[in-house]
Amino acid sequence: MTGQRRGGGLLVAGTTSDAGKSVVTAGICRWLARRGVKVAPFKGQNMSLNSYVTRDGAEIGRAQAMQAQAARVEPTALMNPVLLKPGSDRTSQVVLLGRPVGEMSARGFFGSGTAAGGGGREALLSTVVECLEELRSTYDAVICEGAGSPAEINLRRTDIVNMGVARAADLPVLVVGDIDRGGVFASFFGTTALLAPADQRLVAGYLVNKFRGDVSLLRPGLDMLEGITGRRSYGVLPYAHGLGIDEEDGLRVSLRGAVRESVVAPPVGDEVLRVAVCAVPLMSNFTDVDALAAEPGVVVRFVDRPEEFVDADLVVVPGTRGTVRALAWLRERGLADALSRRAAEGRPVLGICGGFQLLGERIEDDVESRAGEVPGLGLLPVRVRFAAEKTLARPTGSALGEPVAGYEIHHGVAQVLGGEAFLDGCRVGAVWGTHWHGSLESDGFRRGFLRRVAEAAGRRFVPAPDTSFAALREEQLDRLGDLIEEHADTDALWRLIEGGAPPSLPFVPPGHPGHPDATGTRS
């Protein structure tokens, strides 16, 4: 990259998973974009079942697609070069530069062996850094998101997403801590103290997230933290309800919890519409139902028991990375019988991607589960055969008299043998099925679908005529930008992005004694 333009950069790390790294990264991207800075998000390695298809057909984490929208740029595979999609507690599909390259065990991926696609962890780090540098040659700033905690000392030797990429690209690091969990000062100190000296030199300071109350009461603790670490606080973000951004690694709430933290808007008609989302194992792209939850008068909940279907006007069976496993789970829990009863009674069911596949007659799977031929629920005249090649697409079309767009991520190839056409799938009675993720974000189509659901369910529900999911998403992203602009030291943050970590940051003992660079030598 010698002689090429190189934009500024920052790594947003966290004391824990779910500390708020994704939110902070998106907020910084939106704040900078509003200032006229050409900015891009980046995450070297992501582990998530929520993914997205870029315009050129690459698969990346949905969080990075959301952050790209916050930055007002088109998402690309460069923004998330390594994506791990868990298929069990021990194995994941490895997606490299937007394309699947194989399945690996956690030991195989995080160990010192060869990574999928050729080369070892050093080759993966090289790929990650090359993607980052390509972005930095194009953008004024690249805001990188870490994963988990940078102080996972058992993983430091093979790290390509936290201090590994920070060291390789000489990025300053901002550590985010969730004060709502408690112990944030100990977490900040411990995170720093467990890093090798050469890693510590890049940790510039801290950002407190999810604070409730009077910030002045926190100031003495922040001052003491700076006294013992030599590192300042870059801001205190308040607890913000109902942000509703795309999630990365898991459900925002526990099962049987509402999708949104915010209060559901009152219905336009006389009644609400209740939607139950079946929380199947290895659930993927559950963000599909966010567009339903954004509708006034629509109440969306995740469920895992057949009795919770009883008062539901619509049951959604979402995507899954384990269609055959999800099918067995439905049968074991009595949910399969409950779905069959709903179909027989003409009560609405919607299957999306893996959920669509298991509603069919038969599944031939020698790829994902290697279970061979398995009978489906038989609610739709569809037969599915799993192909080695993954379908990654951004289809557009029309349905229910409205334009609709979506994206596809699946190995299963569906043969539709009957029923009424519905997107790429079909409809029989009150049962609908499609591979298209994101279709419900098309406002006219969503309203048309909800009108048919309400009619079949016998509800006096009327969709709001003016709900724009895209506009609501923009409002949420602006709220993230507001959090940074109003509660972070943005001048100091920009100096960090532009100029790197302050010189001569002190070492906080004991450091990471097991790391090869524990003496402080740079590699």
Side-chain angles (χ1 to χ4, degrees), residues 243 291 294-296 446 467-477:
L243 289 175
E295 281 285 347
R446 181 181 64 253
T467 301
S468 167
F469 185 74
L472 289 171
R473 175 168 284 176
E474 278 296 302
E475 289 175 14
Q476 300 291 48
L477 294 174

Side-chain angles (χ1 to χ4, degrees), residues 71 94 135 178 183 281 288 363 442 500:
V94 182
L135 289 173
D178 178 359
D288 282 335
I363 298 169
S442 298

Side-chain angles (χ1 to χ4, degrees), residues 282-301:
L282 299 173
M283 181 165 46
S284 61
N285 287 68
F286 54 81
T287 47
D288 282 335
V289 300
D290 282 356
L292 296 178
E295 281 285 347
V298 176
V299 183
V300 180
R301 298 176 70 85

